[in-house]
Amino acid sequence: MSDAGGTGGTGEDEVSPAEDDGWRRLDRRGLLVTATVLAGVGLGAGVPTAVGTTGGMPLGEALARVLLGTAALAACGTAGTYVRRRRTRYRVGPERVEFHTGLFLVKRRSLARERIRSVDLTAGLLPRSLGLVKVRIGTGEHTGDASTLELDAVRRAEGERLRGELLDRTPAEPGPRRDGVLAVLDPGWIRYAPLSFAAPVLGGTAAGGLLQVSDWFGAQAEVIDWVAERLRDTPLLWSAVVLVTAAGLAGVIGALGLWTEMWWDYRLEREPGGTLRVRRGLLTSRSVSIEERRLRGVELVEPIGVRLVGAARLDAVATGLAHDDEDGHADHRTLLPAAPRAFADELAARVLREPVSPTRTARLIPHPRAARSRRVRRALAAVLLPAALLAVLGLLLTDVLLYVAAVAAAVLLPLALLLALDAARNLGHATTGAYLVARSGTLRRTTVALRRGGVIGWTVRQSYFQRRAGLITLTATTAAGAGAYAIEDAAQGEGLAFAAEAVPGLLEPFLEPFLEPG
């Protein structure tokens, strides 16, 4: 892969970009997309501002100025896009994908085809209506822009052609033949959306957004006074309950809308040659491809709200997945949104070409009582230390803090102990067939099934307190997924023997220091 900036280059970068040499340009309909978006931004920001700040100026004159400003903004932005389009070309050669762009600072970049790991297609509502997609060609390396090429306005047919041409079509891995559709959207899965962590976050965001927008229009005090007037005769505790309920309801509505936008028309398919393809999205359509030969396992993710109703999300553990920083909710690893746990296990088996999912068949080795004791002590410290601090401040300052400390301890202590016991109960690890399985977590429980051949190293960590308790933390290092998966607070002797047996020959040379008596 090469990335050169400047007005010149060497080697292949100096080839003249003639159309008959295989060079292609971005689609001209991208100009319409730019003009429409900028016009919407100009009108969306300018009209409310003009209405709220006209002063002595006639409203018609203010709106006319907004229209002129919007036209100038759209014209300038479209002109810039036109110049960029004229100066942007790409071509797919036998060995490399080349990309040239820039006017004053010319960038000439290329990716070796054997290093390409992903070709993802994304299209917002407006580009999709015009038959356009954005194509991201990536190597899966975490080196910023140098590892990706982005073509932001090509025809959908061209995007599909690039995807089919650039992704390696290796023979399918051995296992049951299950090509075609593996999973489709069940509208009933939307019931899990309000149980995710997104709902309270969106509720708080909605409340903060309301105050911010009202402040922009100079009406924040009026909004606060209006709410206070409605709750004037309501006791303080019930007022808090009403406000939290309102924010929660807004969060639920937001979570339902976000889920619909992300997962509408969801399909998971296995294409001939061994490529998994996820397609989804309502306003913005997304297509993510994962080559099976780069798949190292799967991960079941169970946030506590979803887990309480027997559901789980399924993620891929694979090398070479792209990371989209511009689209905050585009998770390229997710194969299945929150769905019934039994279906998630069944889909995991289909994805891995196994008769039964390792996440279901593995008999996890429980961790010792010392692991539970560590979590209980942490829970007690997390609640009692702040409560003690509040109590001391209450003795020094005001009795109100004493009541706050007592209520906090009475409410939070049982909850913290329940979570600590649940976290200890969730710890476990095992090997089943070709997979290493590890489970941990309480607020977000994860169960990973990782191919033992995909483990490239072990990290052994033991703190002073772990050493005294006879515990150890083992982290399996892999080039896929999160890069490392931990087995926390396992029994020292059993954990080391497990790691040595799971991946023979990798850990044995380093075992002696840990097996010596402390």
Side-chain angles (χ1 to χ4, degrees), residues 208-280:
L210 176 62
L211 292 177
Q212 182 63 57
V213 171
S214 63
D215 183 55
W216 289 344
F217 291 93
Q220 189 178 84
E222 287 80 356
V223 171
I224 295 175
D225 290 343
W226 184 87
V227 174
E229 180 66 22
R230 296 300 179 275
L231 300 174
R232 181 179 56 185
D233 298 327
T234 305
L236 180 61
L237 179 60
W238 285 109
S239 297
V241 170
V242 169
L243 293 176
V244 170
T245 301
L249 181 60
V252 167
I253 295 173
L256 293 174
L258 179 62
W259 187 95
T260 302
E261 200 286 320
M262 289 181 64
W263 295 106
W264 184 262
D265 202 26
Y266 158 80
R267 293 170 67 89
L268 172 62
E269 301 169 300
R270 174 180 282 122
E271 298 177 329
T275 298
L276 298 171
R277 184 178 190 182
V278 180
R279 288 190 276 192
R280 58 187 176 89

Side-chain angles (χ1 to χ4, degrees), residues 357-507:
S357 172
T359 58
R360 174 184 289 180
T361 60
R363 295 186 176 181
L364 300 181
I365 300 171
H367 290 203
R369 294 173 61 88
R372 183 178 66 182
S373 300
R374 280 170 56 83
R375 279 149 183 77
V376 170
R377 286 195 296 268
R378 290 173 184 172
L380 291 175
V383 175
L384 294 182
L385 289 180
L389 178 60
L390 286 175
V392 171
L393 293 176
L395 292 174
L396 297 175
L397 301 176
T398 174
D399 291 343
V400 174
L401 294 179
L402 291 175
Y403 293 112
V404 172
V407 171
V411 173
L412 296 179
L413 190 58
L415 178 61
L417 289 175
L418 285 174
L419 292 176
L421 294 175
D422 181 66
R425 191 164 47 247
N426 290 334
L427 291 174
H429 59 278
T431 56
T432 175
Y435 294 90
L436 181 157
V437 180
R439 188 178 68 191
S440 64
T442 180
L443 294 178
R444 182 182 182 272
R445 188 173 76 176
T446 60
T447 306
V448 62
L450 180 65
R451 282 201 180 113
R452 293 153 71 178
V455 177
I456 60 177
W458 286 101
T459 300
V460 181
R461 188 177 73 250
Q462 188 178 47
S463 68
Y464 170 77
F465 296 104
Q466 283 180 311
R467 187 176 180 84
R468 287 177 57 86
L471 302 175
I472 200 166
T473 294
L474 299 160
T475 302
T477 305
T478 178
Y485 296 91
I487 301 173
E488 300 179 359
D489 289 341
Q492 178 173 306
E494 184 277 325
L496 291 172
F498 168 82
E501 180 183 356
V503 190
L506 194 59
L507 191 62

